[in-house]
């Protein structure tokens, strides 16, 4: 990417999009185009067509999507498949029409088959049944990856897909009904500490294993791959190490300084038993995560909960 290139970051107010914008600006890319969903609804075909015809971006990071945790994915199944398919269909198709030089589509580790062998290799996509709670979201995301490959095959578009693991960082969602596990734990422990509670309830059995990547590391990887990776298929982006939800809860408890007990609510769904990325392809391409989990969570806790309340 040339420093003066026109770069559209779709979803720039979200956790991933905002991190990509921070990274691009830090690297001296200043010709960025951004639109909130109220300015440009990416589900609307005519609006997206008009936007691409007028702006003709050189590069696109597609980080706009309808995203949520287990409960949101399972409760709004129709919205998750419809909105994500609409957004990606419009953006990928009109990016091609406008002659975009390169587009990066973001998948997610939760779209691998539920019982795929671990760690998850890129080739395990579409080799088995999906996790039922987020199947509509996964089907949409898989369609996005296949669409990028099909546009490469038929039209020669340099559209690439990356597969981030669970993320955390600034601009995360802390709404307990919609959030992912890590921000939910931070909020629960913080509030329990503030309110002097004795017990914090953690959803699920505590046994599932998960991997967490700081979103600034993800943005670093995305900008790196946008400059170096030009192949079909996908690239996992993760750290290559996982932690049980129980140990994660204990780590968050320690960082927050909550002194009470944990109670695991096994009536809430666990989701996939283990989700760890095989990051050998990414390492082979020359990129490795840098932000450790304790360091990253401590920074996020300070930024979101301590600075905000001072
Ligand atoms: N968070 C994770 O742990 C994680 C993990 C793996 C992959 N990913 C992937 O990363 C991408 C971004 O996730 P995120 O966590 O950054 O999500 P997020 O914080 O919820 O942000 C989503 C962004 O999408 C935009 N958006 C949603 N619907 C739109 C619409 N109809 N028109 C225009 N913009 C729309 C929103 O714009 P407004 O704010 O303007 O409404 C928002 O900025 C997704 O593709 C997701 O699958 C995320």
């Amino acid at each position: 990417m040339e420093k003066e290139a026109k770069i559209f970051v779709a979803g720039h107010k979200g956790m991933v999009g905002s991190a990509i914008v921070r990274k691009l600006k830090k690297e001296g890319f200043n010709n960025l185009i951004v639109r909130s969903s109220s300015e440009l609804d990416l589900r609307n075909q005519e609006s997206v067509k008009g936007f691409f015809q007028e702006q003709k971006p050189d590069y696109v990071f597609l980080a706009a999507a309808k995203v949520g945790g287990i409960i949101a994915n399972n409760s709004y199944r129709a919205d998750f498949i419809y909105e994500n398919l609409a957004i990606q269909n419009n953006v990928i198709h009109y990016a091609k029409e406008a002659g975009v030089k390169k587009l990066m589509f973001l998948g997610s580790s939760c779209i691998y088959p539920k019982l795929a062998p671990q760690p998850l290799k890129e080739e395990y996509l579409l080799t088995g049944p999906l996790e039922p709670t987020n199947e509509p979201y996964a089907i949409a995301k898989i369609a996005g990856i296949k669409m990028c490959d099909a546009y490469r095959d038929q039209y020669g578009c340099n559209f690439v897909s990356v597969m981030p693991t669970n993320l955390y960082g600034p601009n995360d969602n802390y709404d307990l009904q919609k959030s992912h596990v890590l921000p939910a734990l931070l909020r629960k422990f913080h509030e329990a500490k503030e309110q002097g509670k004795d017990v914090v309830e953690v959803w699920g059995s505590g046994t599932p294993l998960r991997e967490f990547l700081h979103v600034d590391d993800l943005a670093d990887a995305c900008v790196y791959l946008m400059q170096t990776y030009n192949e079909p298929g996908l690239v996992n982006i993760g750290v290559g190490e996982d932690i049980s939800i129980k140990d994660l809860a204990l780590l968050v408890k320690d960082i927050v300084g909550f002194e009470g007990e944990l109670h695991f609510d096994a009536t809430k769904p666990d989701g996939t038993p283990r989700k760890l990325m095989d990051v050998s392809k990414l390492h082979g391409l020359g990129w490795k995560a840098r932000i450790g989990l304790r360091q990253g969570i401590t920074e996020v806790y300070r930024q979101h909960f301590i600075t905000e309340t001072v």
Side-chain angles (χ1 to χ4, degrees):
M1 279 186 304
E2 316 74 38
K3 288 282 176 283
E4 66 288 353
K6 205 170 184 183
I7 306 170
F8 174 40
V9 181
H12 74 288
K13 286 166 98 182
M15 178 165 65
V16 171
S18 59
I20 292 175
V21 166
R22 280 197 300 280
K23 176 67 187 169
L24 288 169
K25 285 188 174 164
K26 201 171 149 200
E27 295 292 314
F29 297 98
N30 286 313
N31 194 3
L32 306 184
I33 321 171
V34 292
R35 294 286 184 278
S36 66
S37 59
S38 51
E39 292 163 337
L40 174 66
D41 183 348
L42 295 171
R43 293 169 303 182
N44 184 312
Q45 190 177 19
E46 282 308 306
S47 307
V48 176
K49 182 180 179 185
F51 167 80
F52 273 96
Q53 278 176 347
E54 191 188 306
Q55 294 295 332
K56 296 206 181 307
D58 297 308
Y59 297 90
V60 175
F61 288 89
L62 180 38
K66 184 168 180 67
V67 176
I70 291 178
I71 301 289
N73 263 281
N74 203 22
S75 312
Y76 307 106
R77 298 173 70 84
D79 296 351
F80 272 84
I81 191 162
Y82 166 70
E83 295 192 24
N84 284 307
L85 280 174
I87 291 170
Q88 66 205 38
N89 275 350
N90 291 337
V91 173
I92 294 170
H93 182 71
Y94 289 106
K96 170 250 169 191
E97 292 287 290
V100 163
K101 289 182 191 166
K102 189 162 178 183
L103 175 145
M104 177 174 282
F105 177 74
L106 280 105
S108 168
S109 58
C110 62
I111 74 176
Y112 279 113
K114 180 178 167 105
L115 298 174
Q118 303 282 332
L120 295 161
K121 291 182 189 292
E122 285 84 355
E123 60 263 33
Y124 297 162
L125 191 71
L126 283 175
T127 55
L130 299 164
E131 159 62 38
T133 52
N134 72 354
E135 191 187 67
Y137 173 80
I139 294 283
K141 286 281 173 188
I142 293 168
I145 293 167
K146 292 295 171 188
M147 198 165 163
C148 287
D149 287 350
Y151 275 63
R152 174 183 294 278
D153 291 341
Q154 188 176 339
Y155 298 116
C157 298
N158 193 3
F159 293 174
V160 297
S161 299
V162 295
M163 204 76 138
T165 188
N166 299 303
L167 304 170
Y168 68 98
N171 298 323
D172 210 341
N173 185 342
Y174 290 89
D175 174 339
L176 291 182
Q177 288 306 313
K178 293 183 191 154
S179 57
H180 289 108
V181 58
L182 183 38
L185 288 175
L186 275 168
R187 179 167 167 189
K188 283 185 187 179
F189 281 110
H190 178 71
E191 289 180 356
K193 184 184 159 190
E194 298 276 286
Q195 295 160 11
K197 288 191 178 159
D198 299 327
V199 179
V200 161
E201 190 122 305
V202 180
W203 281 4
S205 66
T207 56
L209 293 160
R210 291 290 182 275
E211 176 187 21
F212 297 93
L213 178 73
H214 194 288
V215 74
D216 286 344
D217 261 345
L218 173 78
D220 191 69
C222 288
V223 172
Y224 177 79
L225 293 173
M226 193 65 147
Q227 290 164 297
T228 54
Y229 182 74
N230 304 297
E231 304 294 325
L234 43 131
V235 184
N236 287 340
I237 304 182
V239 278
E241 283 169 29
D242 56 7
I243 179 170
S244 73
I245 298 299
K246 182 177 176 196
D247 286 344
L248 178 73
L250 290 170
L251 178 61
V252 174
K253 176 180 183 280
D254 187 43
I255 289 169
V256 171
F258 172 71
E259 291 181 348
E261 302 290 316
L262 305 188
H263 173 253
F264 291 91
D265 178 2
T267 63
K268 292 284 194 306
D270 265 346
T272 305
R274 189 179 190 201
K275 208 168 60 171
L276 174 65
M277 294 293 213
D278 182 310
V279 284
S280 39
K281 183 171 179 182
L282 181 66
H283 288 181
L285 291 164
W287 190 91
K288 273 191 182 157
R290 280 182 279 233
I291 305 171
L293 193 54
R294 178 176 281 275
Q295 177 203 343
I297 298 176
T298 305
E299 275 172 25
V300 168
Y301 180 59
R302 289 211 186 107
Q303 280 160 358
H304 190 81
F305 291 94
I306 308 296
T307 332
E308 272 201 352
T309 49
V310 174

